[in-house]
Amino acid sequence: DGGITQSPKYLFRKEGQNVTLSCEQNLNHDAMYWYRQDPGQGLRLIYYSQIVNDFQKGDIAEGYSVSREKKESFPLTVTSAQKNPTAFYLCASSIRASGGPLGEQFFGPGTRLTVL
Amino acid sequence: DAKTTQPNSMESNEEEPVHLPCNHSTISGTDYIHWYRQLPSQGPEYVIHGLTSNVNNRMASLAIAEDRKSSTLILHRATLRDAAVYYCILRDDNNAGNMLTFGGGTRLMVKP
């Protein structure tokens, strides 16, 4: 089945460590996104990528980094510079990000990151 | 993107219709109205979207006011599985990046 996978589902990290969250899609979508969700809140955009080897900062990019070396993969690194990293992280993809009907965003199941 | 206003929470009885309102008084001519929902501990899923005309799909109906300053998501027969947070989102097709701006949404509780 086509879809988006995120791993791991739960992740624990010690303060001061970098950690990388995985996001893979087999939908052949050009655009991919990372969101952060805090308890009881809506989603906030961290980074997005419209095409391979390209990405742009979202509203809350500080303390995060991404790469887009392959169309199907968009990993997110939470660095030690992120002051409050404990949150639910969601990855999404869509057919395209501009230049025509944009289509819906498909979301993965999320990774719940806890900093100890 | 223009802002939307939704009630924080609503309750419904199982098997009854549910009308979830959304106000977007500053909507622009190129803004589409999108609805997503998020079940507990899951990622959001697309429900429906529209521009000017009312829309129907297998999940729900979307009724858009004539002046487009408000819309209503209609679930025709609520089930327990419809308990979720429903987000009303405006997206400008001129917005490079296809970004969705999520507000707080409406938490729908369905009583058996």
Side-chain angles (χ1 to χ4, degrees), chain A residues 9 31 33 35 37 40-45 48 50 57-59 88 90 94 96-98 100-110 112, chain B residues 32 34 36-47 49 85 87 89 91-105 107:
Chain A
K9 188 169 183 178
Y33 311 81
Y35 294 88
Q37 186 174 36
Q41 305 294 315
L43 283 67
R44 292 184 290 168
L45 183 68
Y48 69 98
Q50 298 190 58
K57 293 181 179 180
D59 299 323
F88 188 42
L90 289 153
S94 62
R96 65 180 68 82
S98 61
L102 300 181
E104 64 189 269
Q105 286 192 12
F106 293 82
F107 285 81
R112 198 167 295 278
Chain B
Y32 280 75
H34 288 253
Y36 282 73
R37 73 178 186 180
Q38 186 175 22
L39 278 64
S41 298
Q42 295 187 27
E45 62 175 343
Y46 167 83
V47 178
H49 78 282
V85 178
Y87 296 98
I89 300 165
R91 194 189 68 194
D92 182 352
D93 259 17
N94 295 322
N95 175 10
N98 188 18
M99 290 170 283
L100 297 174
T101 302
F102 287 78
R107 181 173 300 277

Short mmCIF file of all heavy atoms in Angstrom, two decimals, chain A residues 9 31 33 35 37 40-45 48 50 57-59 88 90 94 96-98 100-110 112, chain B residues 32 34 36-47 49 85 87 89 91-105 107:
data_model
loop_
_atom_site.label_atom_id
_atom_site.label_comp_id
_atom_site.label_asym_id
_atom_site.label_seq_id
_atom_site.Cartn_x
_atom_site.Cartn_y
_atom_site.Cartn_z
N LYS A 9 8.10 5.26 16.45
CA LYS A 9 6.85 5.83 16.93
C LYS A 9 7.08 6.62 18.22
O LYS A 9 6.48 7.67 18.43
CB LYS A 9 5.84 4.71 17.18
CG LYS A 9 4.44 5.22 17.50
CD LYS A 9 3.43 4.10 17.47
CE LYS A 9 2.03 4.66 17.71
NZ LYS A 9 1.00 3.62 17.64
N ALA A 31 6.43 17.07 -2.93
CA ALA A 31 6.53 17.94 -1.75
C ALA A 31 6.43 17.14 -0.46
O ALA A 31 5.64 16.21 -0.34
CB ALA A 31 5.43 18.99 -1.79
N TYR A 33 6.79 17.67 4.09
CA TYR A 33 6.66 18.67 5.15
C TYR A 33 6.93 18.03 6.51
O TYR A 33 6.66 16.85 6.73
CB TYR A 33 5.23 19.23 5.19
CG TYR A 33 4.69 19.67 3.85
CD1 TYR A 33 4.17 18.74 2.95
CD2 TYR A 33 4.73 21.00 3.47
CE1 TYR A 33 3.69 19.12 1.72
CE2 TYR A 33 4.24 21.40 2.23
CZ TYR A 33 3.73 20.46 1.37
OH TYR A 33 3.26 20.85 0.14
N TYR A 35 5.94 18.92 10.59
CA TYR A 35 5.19 19.73 11.52
C TYR A 35 5.51 19.28 12.95
O TYR A 35 5.84 18.13 13.19
CB TYR A 35 3.67 19.56 11.31
CG TYR A 35 3.12 20.07 10.01
CD1 TYR A 35 3.09 19.25 8.88
CD2 TYR A 35 2.60 21.35 9.90
CE1 TYR A 35 2.55 19.70 7.69
CE2 TYR A 35 2.06 21.82 8.71
CZ TYR A 35 2.04 20.98 7.61
OH TYR A 35 1.51 21.44 6.43
N GLN A 37 3.67 19.30 16.86
CA GLN A 37 2.42 19.52 17.59
C GLN A 37 2.68 19.37 19.08
O GLN A 37 3.18 18.34 19.54
CB GLN A 37 1.35 18.52 17.14
CG GLN A 37 -0.01 18.80 17.75
CD GLN A 37 -1.10 17.91 17.18
OE1 GLN A 37 -0.87 16.76 16.88
NE2 GLN A 37 -2.30 18.46 17.02
N GLY A 40 -2.58 19.63 22.99
CA GLY A 40 -3.73 20.52 22.91
C GLY A 40 -3.62 21.64 21.90
O GLY A 40 -4.48 22.52 21.85
N GLN A 41 -2.58 21.60 21.07
CA GLN A 41 -2.36 22.68 20.11
C GLN A 41 -2.51 22.16 18.68
O GLN A 41 -2.50 20.95 18.43
CB GLN A 41 -0.95 23.25 20.28
CG GLN A 41 -0.63 23.71 21.69
CD GLN A 41 -1.48 24.89 22.11
OE1 GLN A 41 -1.65 25.85 21.37
NE2 GLN A 41 -2.05 24.83 23.31
N GLY A 42 -2.57 23.10 17.76
CA GLY A 42 -2.57 22.73 16.35
C GLY A 42 -1.15 22.45 15.88
O GLY A 42 -0.19 22.50 16.65
N LEU A 43 -0.99 22.15 14.60
CA LEU A 43 0.32 21.83 14.03
C LEU A 43 1.04 23.11 13.60
O LEU A 43 0.41 24.05 13.12
CB LEU A 43 0.16 20.94 12.80
CG LEU A 43 -0.13 19.47 13.02
CD1 LEU A 43 -1.49 19.23 13.64
CD2 LEU A 43 0.01 18.70 11.73
N ARG A 44 2.34 23.11 13.76
CA ARG A 44 3.17 24.22 13.29
C ARG A 44 4.24 23.70 12.34
O ARG A 44 4.86 22.68 12.61
CB ARG A 44 3.81 24.94 14.48
CG ARG A 44 2.82 25.68 15.37
CD ARG A 44 3.53 26.44 16.47
NE ARG A 44 4.12 25.54 17.47
CZ ARG A 44 4.99 25.93 18.39
NH1 ARG A 44 5.38 27.20 18.44
NH2 ARG A 44 5.45 25.07 19.27
N LEU A 45 4.44 24.43 11.26
CA LEU A 45 5.36 23.98 10.21
C LEU A 45 6.80 24.24 10.58
O LEU A 45 7.18 25.37 10.92
CB LEU A 45 5.01 24.69 8.91
CG LEU A 45 5.82 24.30 7.68
CD1 LEU A 45 5.51 22.86 7.27
CD2 LEU A 45 5.53 25.26 6.53
N TYR A 48 9.78 22.57 4.95
CA TYR A 48 9.13 21.89 3.85
C TYR A 48 10.08 21.82 2.66
O TYR A 48 11.03 22.60 2.57
CB TYR A 48 7.81 22.54 3.47
CG TYR A 48 7.92 23.91 2.84
CD1 TYR A 48 7.87 24.09 1.46
CD2 TYR A 48 8.02 25.05 3.64
CE1 TYR A 48 7.95 25.35 0.90
CE2 TYR A 48 8.11 26.31 3.08
CZ TYR A 48 8.06 26.46 1.72
OH TYR A 48 8.14 27.71 1.16
N GLN A 50 9.96 21.31 -1.63
CA GLN A 50 9.12 21.25 -2.82
C GLN A 50 9.65 20.24 -3.83
O GLN A 50 8.91 19.78 -4.70
CB GLN A 50 9.05 22.63 -3.48
CG GLN A 50 8.41 23.68 -2.59
CD GLN A 50 8.14 24.96 -3.34
OE1 GLN A 50 7.42 24.97 -4.33
NE2 GLN A 50 8.69 26.07 -2.87
N LYS A 57 12.63 26.92 5.21
CA LYS A 57 12.23 27.00 6.61
C LYS A 57 10.75 27.32 6.72
O LYS A 57 10.20 28.10 5.95
CB LYS A 57 13.03 28.08 7.33
CG LYS A 57 14.51 27.76 7.47
CD LYS A 57 15.23 28.87 8.21
CE LYS A 57 16.72 28.53 8.37
NZ LYS A 57 17.45 29.60 9.09
N GLY A 58 10.13 26.71 7.74
CA GLY A 58 8.77 27.06 8.08
C GLY A 58 8.75 28.07 9.21
O GLY A 58 9.70 28.85 9.37
N ASP A 59 7.70 28.02 10.02
CA ASP A 59 7.53 29.03 11.06
C ASP A 59 8.44 28.84 12.26
O ASP A 59 8.74 29.78 12.98
CB ASP A 59 6.07 29.01 11.54
CG ASP A 59 5.11 29.34 10.41
OD1 ASP A 59 5.46 30.21 9.58
OD2 ASP A 59 4.02 28.73 10.35
N PHE A 88 5.12 16.06 19.56
CA PHE A 88 4.68 15.07 18.58
C PHE A 88 5.05 15.61 17.21
O PHE A 88 4.67 16.72 16.86
CB PHE A 88 3.16 14.90 18.72
CG PHE A 88 2.56 13.78 17.93
CD1 PHE A 88 3.18 12.55 17.84
CD2 PHE A 88 1.35 13.94 17.29
CE1 PHE A 88 2.61 11.50 17.13
CE2 PHE A 88 0.75 12.90 16.58
CZ PHE A 88 1.40 11.68 16.51
N LEU A 90 5.11 15.33 13.08
CA LEU A 90 4.35 14.77 11.98
C LEU A 90 4.97 15.13 10.65
O LEU A 90 5.33 16.28 10.42
CB LEU A 90 2.91 15.27 12.02
CG LEU A 90 2.09 14.70 13.17
CD1 LEU A 90 0.98 15.65 13.58
CD2 LEU A 90 1.50 13.36 12.78
N SER A 94 2.67 15.87 -0.35
CA SER A 94 1.61 16.18 -1.30
C SER A 94 2.19 16.09 -2.70
O SER A 94 3.41 16.13 -2.89
CB SER A 94 1.01 17.57 -1.06
OG SER A 94 1.98 18.58 -1.22
N ARG A 96 2.40 18.06 -5.20
CA ARG A 96 3.29 19.17 -5.55
C ARG A 96 3.04 20.30 -4.58
O ARG A 96 2.10 20.26 -3.80
CB ARG A 96 3.06 19.62 -6.99
CG ARG A 96 1.69 20.21 -7.25
CD ARG A 96 1.54 20.65 -8.71
NE ARG A 96 1.54 19.53 -9.62
CZ ARG A 96 0.47 18.78 -9.88
NH1 ARG A 96 -0.67 19.04 -9.29
NH2 ARG A 96 0.56 17.78 -10.72
N ALA A 97 3.87 21.30 -4.66
CA ALA A 97 3.74 22.43 -3.75
C ALA A 97 3.38 23.71 -4.49
O ALA A 97 3.11 24.72 -3.87
CB ALA A 97 5.03 22.62 -2.97
N SER A 98 3.42 23.69 -5.81
CA SER A 98 3.05 24.89 -6.55
C SER A 98 2.86 24.49 -8.00
O SER A 98 3.14 23.36 -8.40
CB SER A 98 4.14 25.96 -6.43
OG SER A 98 5.36 25.49 -6.96
N GLY A 100 0.03 24.38 -10.06
CA GLY A 100 -1.09 23.54 -10.48
C GLY A 100 -1.92 23.13 -9.30
O GLY A 100 -1.63 23.52 -8.16
N PRO A 101 -2.95 22.32 -9.48
CA PRO A 101 -3.75 21.87 -8.34
C PRO A 101 -2.83 21.24 -7.29
O PRO A 101 -2.07 20.32 -7.61
CB PRO A 101 -4.69 20.84 -8.97
CG PRO A 101 -4.81 21.25 -10.39
CD PRO A 101 -3.46 21.82 -10.76
N LEU A 102 -2.91 21.75 -6.08
CA LEU A 102 -1.91 21.36 -5.07
C LEU A 102 -2.23 20.05 -4.40
O LEU A 102 -1.34 19.37 -3.91
CB LEU A 102 -1.79 22.48 -4.03
CG LEU A 102 -1.35 23.83 -4.60
CD1 LEU A 102 -1.24 24.85 -3.49
CD2 LEU A 102 -0.02 23.70 -5.33
N GLY A 103 -3.50 19.67 -4.33
CA GLY A 103 -3.83 18.39 -3.74
C GLY A 103 -3.73 18.39 -2.23
O GLY A 103 -3.17 19.29 -1.63
N GLU A 104 -4.29 17.35 -1.67
CA GLU A 104 -4.31 17.24 -0.23
C GLU A 104 -2.94 16.83 0.29
O GLU A 104 -2.10 16.31 -0.46
CB GLU A 104 -5.33 16.20 0.19
CG GLU A 104 -4.98 14.80 -0.30
CD GLU A 104 -6.10 13.81 -0.08
OE1 GLU A 104 -6.10 13.18 0.98
OE2 GLU A 104 -6.93 13.66 -0.98
N GLN A 105 -2.74 17.04 1.59
CA GLN A 105 -1.53 16.55 2.24
C GLN A 105 -1.86 15.23 2.93
O GLN A 105 -2.90 15.09 3.57
CB GLN A 105 -1.01 17.56 3.27
CG GLN A 105 -0.36 18.76 2.61
CD GLN A 105 0.42 19.64 3.57
OE1 GLN A 105 0.69 19.26 4.71
NE2 GLN A 105 0.77 20.82 3.12
N PHE A 106 -0.96 14.27 2.78
CA PHE A 106 -1.08 12.97 3.43
C PHE A 106 -0.10 12.95 4.59
O PHE A 106 1.08 13.26 4.41
CB PHE A 106 -0.75 11.84 2.45
CG PHE A 106 -1.75 11.69 1.35
CD1 PHE A 106 -1.70 12.50 0.22
CD2 PHE A 106 -2.75 10.74 1.43
CE1 PHE A 106 -2.62 12.37 -0.81
CE2 PHE A 106 -3.67 10.59 0.40
CZ PHE A 106 -3.62 11.41 -0.71
N PHE A 107 -0.58 12.56 5.75
CA PHE A 107 0.25 12.58 6.95
C PHE A 107 0.67 11.18 7.38
O PHE A 107 -0.06 10.21 7.19
CB PHE A 107 -0.51 13.24 8.11
CG PHE A 107 -0.61 14.73 8.00
CD1 PHE A 107 -1.57 15.32 7.19
CD2 PHE A 107 0.27 15.54 8.68
CE1 PHE A 107 -1.65 16.70 7.07
CE2 PHE A 107 0.20 16.93 8.57
CZ PHE A 107 -0.77 17.51 7.77
N GLY A 108 1.87 11.12 7.96
CA GLY A 108 2.32 9.89 8.58
C GLY A 108 1.73 9.74 9.98
O GLY A 108 1.01 10.62 10.45
N PRO A 109 2.04 8.63 10.66
CA PRO A 109 1.47 8.38 11.98
C PRO A 109 2.12 9.17 13.11
O PRO A 109 1.60 9.20 14.22
CB PRO A 109 1.71 6.88 12.18
CG PRO A 109 2.92 6.60 11.35
CD PRO A 109 2.83 7.51 10.16
N GLY A 110 3.25 9.82 12.82
CA GLY A 110 3.90 10.66 13.82
C GLY A 110 4.94 9.95 14.67
O GLY A 110 4.94 8.71 14.81
N ARG A 112 6.59 10.49 18.57
CA ARG A 112 6.49 11.23 19.82
C ARG A 112 7.86 11.26 20.47
O ARG A 112 8.38 10.22 20.89
CB ARG A 112 5.47 10.58 20.75
CG ARG A 112 4.99 11.48 21.86
CD ARG A 112 3.77 10.92 22.57
NE ARG A 112 2.59 10.84 21.71
CZ ARG A 112 1.79 11.85 21.44
NH1 ARG A 112 2.01 13.03 21.96
NH2 ARG A 112 0.72 11.68 20.66
N TYR B 32 -8.83 28.50 -0.88
CA TYR B 32 -9.68 27.33 -0.79
C TYR B 32 -9.94 27.03 0.70
O TYR B 32 -9.10 27.31 1.55
CB TYR B 32 -9.00 26.10 -1.41
CG TYR B 32 -9.09 26.06 -2.92
CD1 TYR B 32 -8.29 26.88 -3.70
CD2 TYR B 32 -9.96 25.19 -3.55
CE1 TYR B 32 -8.36 26.84 -5.08
CE2 TYR B 32 -10.05 25.13 -4.94
CZ TYR B 32 -9.24 25.95 -5.69
OH TYR B 32 -9.32 25.90 -7.05
N HIS B 34 -10.30 24.20 3.37
CA HIS B 34 -9.95 22.79 3.57
C HIS B 34 -10.37 22.36 4.96
O HIS B 34 -10.26 23.12 5.92
CB HIS B 34 -8.44 22.59 3.44
CG HIS B 34 -7.93 22.72 2.04
ND1 HIS B 34 -7.51 21.64 1.30
CD2 HIS B 34 -7.78 23.80 1.25
CE1 HIS B 34 -7.13 22.05 0.11
NE2 HIS B 34 -7.27 23.35 0.05
N TYR B 36 -9.49 19.16 7.66
CA TYR B 36 -8.76 17.97 8.05
C TYR B 36 -9.27 17.56 9.42
O TYR B 36 -9.80 18.39 10.17
CB TYR B 36 -7.25 18.24 8.14
CG TYR B 36 -6.55 18.28 6.81
CD1 TYR B 36 -6.70 19.37 5.95
CD2 TYR B 36 -5.71 17.24 6.40
CE1 TYR B 36 -6.06 19.40 4.72
CE2 TYR B 36 -5.06 17.27 5.18
CZ TYR B 36 -5.24 18.36 4.35
OH TYR B 36 -4.60 18.39 3.14
N ARG B 37 -9.09 16.29 9.76
CA ARG B 37 -9.42 15.88 11.10
C ARG B 37 -8.28 15.02 11.65
O ARG B 37 -7.54 14.40 10.90
CB ARG B 37 -10.73 15.10 11.15
CG ARG B 37 -10.68 13.69 10.60
CD ARG B 37 -12.02 13.02 10.75
NE ARG B 37 -11.98 11.62 10.36
CZ ARG B 37 -13.03 10.82 10.39
NH1 ARG B 37 -14.21 11.27 10.81
NH2 ARG B 37 -12.92 9.55 10.04
N GLN B 38 -8.16 15.04 12.97
CA GLN B 38 -7.08 14.30 13.62
C GLN B 38 -7.66 13.45 14.73
O GLN B 38 -8.17 13.99 15.73
CB GLN B 38 -6.02 15.26 14.18
CG GLN B 38 -4.80 14.57 14.75
CD GLN B 38 -3.72 15.55 15.17
OE1 GLN B 38 -3.98 16.72 15.42
NE2 GLN B 38 -2.49 15.06 15.27
N LEU B 39 -7.59 12.15 14.54
CA LEU B 39 -8.01 11.23 15.58
C LEU B 39 -6.92 11.18 16.65
O LEU B 39 -5.77 11.50 16.39
CB LEU B 39 -8.26 9.84 14.99
CG LEU B 39 -9.63 9.63 14.31
CD1 LEU B 39 -9.82 10.52 13.11
CD2 LEU B 39 -9.84 8.17 13.96
N PRO B 40 -7.27 10.76 17.86
CA PRO B 40 -6.29 10.77 18.96
C PRO B 40 -5.02 10.00 18.60
O PRO B 40 -5.06 8.89 18.09
CB PRO B 40 -7.06 10.08 20.10
CG PRO B 40 -8.49 10.36 19.79
CD PRO B 40 -8.61 10.33 18.30
N SER B 41 -3.88 10.65 18.87
CA SER B 41 -2.55 10.06 18.68
C SER B 41 -2.27 9.64 17.23
O SER B 41 -1.47 8.73 16.99
CB SER B 41 -2.37 8.84 19.60
OG SER B 41 -2.46 9.26 20.95
N GLN B 42 -2.93 10.28 16.28
CA GLN B 42 -2.66 9.99 14.88
C GLN B 42 -2.35 11.26 14.12
O GLN B 42 -2.56 12.38 14.63
CB GLN B 42 -3.87 9.30 14.23
CG GLN B 42 -4.18 7.93 14.80
CD GLN B 42 -5.28 7.23 14.02
OE1 GLN B 42 -5.48 7.48 12.84
NE2 GLN B 42 -6.00 6.35 14.69
N GLY B 43 -1.86 11.11 12.91
CA GLY B 43 -1.67 12.27 12.05
C GLY B 43 -3.00 12.73 11.48
O GLY B 43 -3.95 11.95 11.39
N PRO B 44 -3.12 13.99 11.10
CA PRO B 44 -4.36 14.47 10.48
C PRO B 44 -4.66 13.75 9.18
O PRO B 44 -3.76 13.21 8.53
CB PRO B 44 -4.06 15.96 10.21
CG PRO B 44 -2.96 16.31 11.15
CD PRO B 44 -2.13 15.07 11.27
N GLU B 45 -5.94 13.73 8.82
CA GLU B 45 -6.33 13.19 7.52
C GLU B 45 -7.25 14.19 6.83
O GLU B 45 -8.04 14.88 7.47
CB GLU B 45 -7.02 11.83 7.66
CG GLU B 45 -8.30 11.84 8.44
CD GLU B 45 -9.00 10.49 8.44
OE1 GLU B 45 -8.68 9.62 7.61
OE2 GLU B 45 -9.89 10.32 9.30
N TYR B 46 -7.13 14.23 5.53
CA TYR B 46 -7.94 15.12 4.72
C TYR B 46 -9.39 14.70 4.77
O TYR B 46 -9.71 13.50 4.75
CB TYR B 46 -7.43 15.07 3.28
CG TYR B 46 -8.33 15.69 2.25
CD1 TYR B 46 -8.31 17.05 2.01
CD2 TYR B 46 -9.17 14.89 1.49
CE1 TYR B 46 -9.12 17.62 1.04
CE2 TYR B 46 -9.99 15.44 0.52
CZ TYR B 46 -9.96 16.81 0.30
OH TYR B 46 -10.77 17.36 -0.66
N VAL B 47 -10.29 15.69 4.87
CA VAL B 47 -11.72 15.38 4.86
C VAL B 47 -12.36 15.87 3.56
O VAL B 47 -12.95 15.10 2.81
CB VAL B 47 -12.43 16.01 6.08
CG1 VAL B 47 -13.93 15.73 6.02
CG2 VAL B 47 -11.84 15.50 7.38
N HIS B 49 -12.56 19.67 0.70
CA HIS B 49 -12.22 21.07 0.46
C HIS B 49 -13.14 21.64 -0.62
O HIS B 49 -13.74 20.88 -1.40
CB HIS B 49 -10.75 21.24 0.09
CG HIS B 49 -10.41 20.89 -1.33
ND1 HIS B 49 -10.26 19.58 -1.74
CD2 HIS B 49 -10.18 21.67 -2.41
CE1 HIS B 49 -9.95 19.57 -3.02
NE2 HIS B 49 -9.89 20.82 -3.46
N VAL B 85 -10.38 15.91 16.45
CA VAL B 85 -10.25 17.36 16.32
C VAL B 85 -10.37 17.70 14.85
O VAL B 85 -9.65 17.13 14.02
CB VAL B 85 -8.92 17.88 16.88
CG1 VAL B 85 -8.82 19.40 16.69
CG2 VAL B 85 -8.80 17.52 18.36
N TYR B 87 -10.11 20.48 11.87
CA TYR B 87 -9.43 21.73 11.55
C TYR B 87 -9.99 22.31 10.25
O TYR B 87 -10.06 21.63 9.22
CB TYR B 87 -7.93 21.51 11.35
CG TYR B 87 -7.19 21.04 12.58
CD1 TYR B 87 -6.89 19.69 12.76
CD2 TYR B 87 -6.77 21.95 13.55
CE1 TYR B 87 -6.20 19.27 13.88
CE2 TYR B 87 -6.07 21.53 14.66
CZ TYR B 87 -5.79 20.19 14.82
OH TYR B 87 -5.09 19.77 15.93
N ILE B 89 -9.15 25.08 7.49
CA ILE B 89 -7.91 25.73 7.06
C ILE B 89 -8.15 26.41 5.72
O ILE B 89 -8.78 25.83 4.83
CB ILE B 89 -6.79 24.69 6.90
CG1 ILE B 89 -6.54 23.96 8.22
CG2 ILE B 89 -5.51 25.34 6.39
CD1 ILE B 89 -5.73 22.69 8.06
N ARG B 91 -6.32 27.86 2.36
CA ARG B 91 -5.08 27.76 1.63
C ARG B 91 -5.18 28.50 0.31
O ARG B 91 -6.08 28.26 -0.49
CB ARG B 91 -4.71 26.29 1.37
CG ARG B 91 -3.27 26.12 0.91
CD ARG B 91 -3.01 24.73 0.46
NE ARG B 91 -3.73 24.45 -0.79
CZ ARG B 91 -3.90 23.23 -1.29
NH1 ARG B 91 -3.44 22.19 -0.65
NH2 ARG B 91 -4.56 23.06 -2.41
N ASP B 92 -4.24 29.39 0.12
CA ASP B 92 -4.18 30.20 -1.09
C ASP B 92 -3.44 29.43 -2.17
O ASP B 92 -2.30 29.02 -1.98
CB ASP B 92 -3.44 31.50 -0.77
CG ASP B 92 -3.36 32.45 -1.95
OD1 ASP B 92 -3.75 32.06 -3.06
OD2 ASP B 92 -2.91 33.59 -1.75
N ASP B 93 -4.07 29.23 -3.30
CA ASP B 93 -3.42 28.49 -4.37
C ASP B 93 -2.22 29.22 -4.94
O ASP B 93 -1.44 28.65 -5.70
CB ASP B 93 -4.42 28.15 -5.47
CG ASP B 93 -4.89 26.73 -5.36
OD1 ASP B 93 -4.70 26.13 -4.30
OD2 ASP B 93 -5.42 26.20 -6.35
N ASN B 94 -2.08 30.50 -4.60
CA ASN B 94 -0.91 31.23 -5.03
C ASN B 94 0.24 31.07 -4.04
O ASN B 94 1.32 31.60 -4.24
CB ASN B 94 -1.22 32.73 -5.16
CG ASN B 94 -2.22 32.99 -6.26
OD1 ASN B 94 -2.18 32.36 -7.30
ND2 ASN B 94 -3.13 33.92 -6.02
N ASN B 95 -0.02 30.33 -2.96
CA ASN B 95 0.96 30.17 -1.89
C ASN B 95 1.93 29.07 -2.27
O ASN B 95 1.65 27.90 -2.14
CB ASN B 95 0.22 29.83 -0.60
CG ASN B 95 1.16 29.52 0.54
OD1 ASN B 95 2.36 29.73 0.45
ND2 ASN B 95 0.62 29.03 1.63
N ALA B 96 3.09 29.47 -2.73
CA ALA B 96 4.11 28.48 -3.07
C ALA B 96 4.49 27.70 -1.82
O ALA B 96 4.77 28.30 -0.79
CB ALA B 96 5.34 29.16 -3.65
N GLY B 97 4.49 26.41 -1.91
CA GLY B 97 4.81 25.57 -0.78
C GLY B 97 3.66 24.73 -0.32
O GLY B 97 3.86 23.75 0.37
N ASN B 98 2.43 25.08 -0.70
CA ASN B 98 1.26 24.28 -0.32
C ASN B 98 1.19 24.12 1.19
O ASN B 98 0.82 23.08 1.70
CB ASN B 98 1.32 22.90 -0.99
CG ASN B 98 0.05 22.09 -0.79
OD1 ASN B 98 -0.99 22.62 -0.44
ND2 ASN B 98 0.14 20.79 -0.99
N MET B 99 1.58 25.13 1.93
CA MET B 99 1.60 25.00 3.37
C MET B 99 0.19 25.11 3.95
O MET B 99 -0.63 25.87 3.46
CB MET B 99 2.50 26.09 3.96
CG MET B 99 3.96 25.86 3.66
SD MET B 99 4.97 27.25 4.12
CE MET B 99 4.60 28.37 2.77
N LEU B 100 -0.06 24.33 4.96
CA LEU B 100 -1.31 24.39 5.70
C LEU B 100 -1.03 25.03 7.05
O LEU B 100 -0.10 24.66 7.74
CB LEU B 100 -1.87 22.98 5.92
CG LEU B 100 -2.25 22.19 4.67
CD1 LEU B 100 -2.66 20.78 5.05
CD2 LEU B 100 -3.38 22.89 3.92
N THR B 101 -1.84 26.01 7.42
CA THR B 101 -1.71 26.66 8.72
C THR B 101 -2.84 26.16 9.61
O THR B 101 -4.01 26.47 9.38
CB THR B 101 -1.78 28.18 8.57
OG1 THR B 101 -0.75 28.62 7.69
CG2 THR B 101 -1.61 28.85 9.93
N PHE B 102 -2.47 25.38 10.63
CA PHE B 102 -3.44 24.77 11.52
C PHE B 102 -3.69 25.66 12.74
O PHE B 102 -2.76 26.06 13.41
CB PHE B 102 -2.93 23.42 12.03
CG PHE B 102 -2.96 22.32 11.00
CD1 PHE B 102 -1.99 22.23 10.02
CD2 PHE B 102 -3.97 21.36 11.03
CE1 PHE B 102 -2.01 21.22 9.08
CE2 PHE B 102 -4.00 20.34 10.09
CZ PHE B 102 -3.02 20.27 9.13
N GLY B 103 -4.97 25.94 13.01
CA GLY B 103 -5.33 26.61 14.25
C GLY B 103 -5.60 25.56 15.32
O GLY B 103 -5.10 24.44 15.23
N GLY B 104 -6.41 25.91 16.30
CA GLY B 104 -6.70 24.98 17.39
C GLY B 104 -7.73 23.93 17.05
O GLY B 104 -7.79 22.88 17.69
N GLY B 105 -8.58 24.18 16.05
CA GLY B 105 -9.59 23.21 15.65
C GLY B 105 -10.74 23.09 16.64
O GLY B 105 -10.79 23.75 17.69
N ARG B 107 -12.77 20.23 18.86
CA ARG B 107 -12.76 18.86 19.36
C ARG B 107 -14.20 18.36 19.38
O ARG B 107 -15.04 18.89 20.12
CB ARG B 107 -12.14 18.79 20.75
CG ARG B 107 -12.08 17.36 21.33
CD ARG B 107 -11.31 17.33 22.63
NE ARG B 107 -9.93 17.78 22.45
CZ ARG B 107 -8.94 17.02 22.02
NH1 ARG B 107 -9.17 15.75 21.72
NH2 ARG B 107 -7.72 17.51 21.90
#
